Amino acid sequence: MSDKVHILGLTRPELEELVLSLGEPKYRVTQVFMAVHQRRLRSFEEITDLPKKFRERLADVAQISRLTVETRYISEDGTRRYLMKTGDGHPVETVYLPTENRDTICFSSQSGCALACDFCLTAKLGMLKNITRGEIVEQIIIVLNDVYGVGGETPHGTNLVGMGAGEPFMNFDNLMSALRLMADEDGLFIVPNRVTVSTAGIVPKIYEFARIDDRPHLAISLSATTDELRDRLMPINKRWNIDELLTAAKEFEASLRRGERFTLEYVMLGGVNDHDEDANRLAGLIEQYQLQRVKINLIPHNGAEQLDYRASTPERVARFKNILESRGVDAYIRAPRGRDIYAACGQLAAKAA
Ligand code: SAH
């Protein structure tokens, strides 16, 4: 692997140090920052407003690109999955989800995942590595350039979801600092209000997250209403159980901004967690922990050969939703996207097909 510094991962002060160390004046810092983040240029050579000598010096010590796109898959529904590789040879997957009036990019926070959720294909990879700050930013740049051309305007802004491979809260510092970089007005300018991160329930980090101003929105993957079942589906529950998780969720709720809500995600597994009793227990938990600003996203399970689960039937999902609603809980059904190219929730496992 190259020992050059990955320029997309540098904060402004770090970039300043680099620029000054190469004997350049301070105003070059913003110029370089804008070239790589806002104009999304992919090589120093292309930054033609910089002196040639400086460009060469930069290229000697730094690089813009640490990710290579191995394959791009395009779904019949327009979803795109990018299978990339890091400089040190680990897979990174990013998904582009277009809808009529907005784009969403789903990025990965880890290569593989350590959490071993039984219904998730990414878990089968095991934990490979934490994705660096620069590699998080670069995922977004690669997708935007592919869709809109290098530096091309994005017609309706970009929403980000940290719902790709990995557990974002197990790579907390890289995640949060990458999001800060991406919020920069001279860069991608994707503000926290357009970002949602999802956690399987790393409880101490939920408390930490709640204390950060300018943080993105939060989703928590629950997927079971008893510890017995959740222990089995999501082993992280043995570390922090439902009581600890929902206590943290309640505390997090207190930190929400005006009008903001948070999400509980519930993967619907046929015959496993989709009975009427499950729906009633879920509504009961929301009452018990007095969660008032929560909505439930019901995610029909996305299957794969190596997974021993099947999706709940549409009728089951609808009934589950009705029960929740009849008890005053807002619930939405998340339509699967990109299943045909292994781009849907829980399907990111560096698959070639
Ligand atoms: N590790 C974090 C971020 C991943 S988000 C988390 O668990 O929240 C991915 C979402 O997809 C999670 O809500 C997860 O529960 C869900 N998921 C995992 N496998 C799935 C599958 N096979 N089908 C549908 N959803 C799945």
Side-chain angles (χ1 to χ4, degrees):
M1 196 174 76
S2 162
D3 51 8
K4 293 182 184 179
V5 54
H6 190 196
I7 208 150
L8 289 174
L10 298 183
T11 61
R12 290 241 207 183
E14 288 165 351
L15 185 61
E16 177 172 329
E17 208 183 301
L18 176 72
V19 168
L20 297 183
S21 79
L22 296 176
E24 290 291 323
K26 201 171 158 176
Y27 69 85
R28 296 267 183 234
V29 178
T30 301
Q31 222 178 338
V32 175
F33 190 89
M34 289 176 84
V36 297
H37 289 278
Q38 186 182 75
R39 300 166 64 198
R40 307 195 302 259
L41 296 175
R42 304 294 289 145
S43 75
F44 293 116
E45 243 165 76
E46 293 165 67
I47 316 179
T48 48
D49 48 333
L50 297 178
K52 189 150 188 301
K53 206 94 224 115
F54 178 39
R55 278 184 269 156
E56 286 167 4
R57 291 253 230 22
L58 268 175
D60 283 342
V61 295
Q63 53 188 176
I64 302 178
S65 176
R66 277 278 168 90
L67 294 176
T68 46
V69 177
E70 303 260 286
T71 330
R72 183 189 71 172
Y73 304 89
I74 302 186
S75 162
E76 51 197 27
D77 69 17
T79 301
R80 300 186 188 189
R81 175 169 67 102
Y82 300 81
L83 174 55
M84 314 186 192
K85 208 174 219 145
T86 61
D88 47 352
H90 295 295
V92 171
E93 282 169 287
T94 317
V95 178
Y96 168 71
L97 301 138
T99 49
E100 219 166 286
N101 43 25
R102 98 180 153 200
D103 296 331
T104 302
I105 296 174
C106 178
F107 65 91
S108 293
S109 53
Q110 297 181 313
S111 181
C113 186
L115 296 189
C117 298
D118 204 35
F119 49 77
C120 179
L121 201 56
T122 307
K124 309 292 176 205
L125 292 175
M127 173 61 181
L128 299 172
K129 78 155 205 161
N130 269 335
I131 293 177
T132 65
R133 195 198 285 164
E135 287 161 351
I136 294 176
V137 176
E138 192 172 348
Q139 288 178 61
I140 315 306
I141 289 177
I142 285 175
V143 173
L144 290 177
N145 279 356
D146 181 58
V147 176
Y148 296 112
V150 175
E153 280 285 326
T154 51
H156 24 238
T158 305
N159 290 349
L160 298 184
V161 292
M163 300 187 181
E167 167 51 45
F169 281 8
M170 301 259 274
N171 190 14
F172 195 79
D173 295 342
N174 284 346
L175 169 81
M176 296 309 296
S177 57
L179 291 175
R180 269 195 301 279
L181 270 177
M182 292 192 277
D184 198 300
E185 271 185 65
D186 290 335
L188 288 169
F189 199 17
I190 301 173
V191 296
N193 195 33
R194 281 184 171 266
V195 183
T196 303
V197 295
S198 177
T199 179
I202 311 299
V203 165
K205 292 296 177 194
I206 295 176
Y207 288 106
E208 194 176 332
F209 187 74
R211 290 193 301 268
I212 298 176
D213 302 323
D214 243 19
R215 56 163 167 70
H217 303 292
L218 181 66
I220 299 175
S221 301
L222 184 64
S223 296
T225 53
T226 65
D227 282 322
E228 192 199 347
L229 180 61
R230 198 165 187 273
D231 279 351
R232 194 145 60 76
L233 297 180
M234 301 179 68
I236 193 69
N237 195 65
K238 295 180 197 156
R239 182 70 182 81
W240 293 288
N241 63 20
I242 292 177
D243 174 54
E244 290 167 293
L245 181 58
L246 295 183
T247 302
K250 179 64 192 171
E251 166 111 4
F252 176 75
E253 190 179 72
S255 78
L256 291 174
R257 292 160 287 228
R258 183 188 297 268
E260 189 188 0
R261 299 206 288 173
F262 74 105
T263 307
L264 288 179
E265 293 161 290
Y266 195 95
V267 180
M268 301 277 308
L269 306 164
V272 174
N273 66 355
D274 64 349
H275 310 97
D276 289 358
E277 305 87 84
D278 294 296
N280 277 306
R281 257 196 311 266
L282 179 52
L285 284 171
I286 286 165
E287 284 159 23
Q288 184 190 337
Y289 289 88
Q290 297 177 21
L291 303 176
Q292 283 135 8
R293 296 169 68 180
V294 69
K295 59 186 158 92
I296 311 286
N297 266 355
L298 301 172
I299 314 176
H301 184 252
N302 298 304
E305 221 170 89
Q306 295 128 282
L307 297 175
D308 244 355
Y309 295 92
R310 59 189 162 82
S312 304
T313 61
E315 298 74 42
R316 258 287 103 208
V317 179
R319 167 135 180 107
F320 201 95
K321 177 177 190 272
N322 282 340
I323 293 175
L324 291 174
E325 283 176 339
S326 72
R327 295 187 54 174
V329 178
D330 278 345
Y332 302 85
I333 299 168
R334 171 111 57 84
R337 300 282 309 263
R339 264 184 183 167
D340 55 331
I341 55 159
Y342 279 88
C345 299
Q347 290 191 312
L348 299 183
K351 267 181 93 86

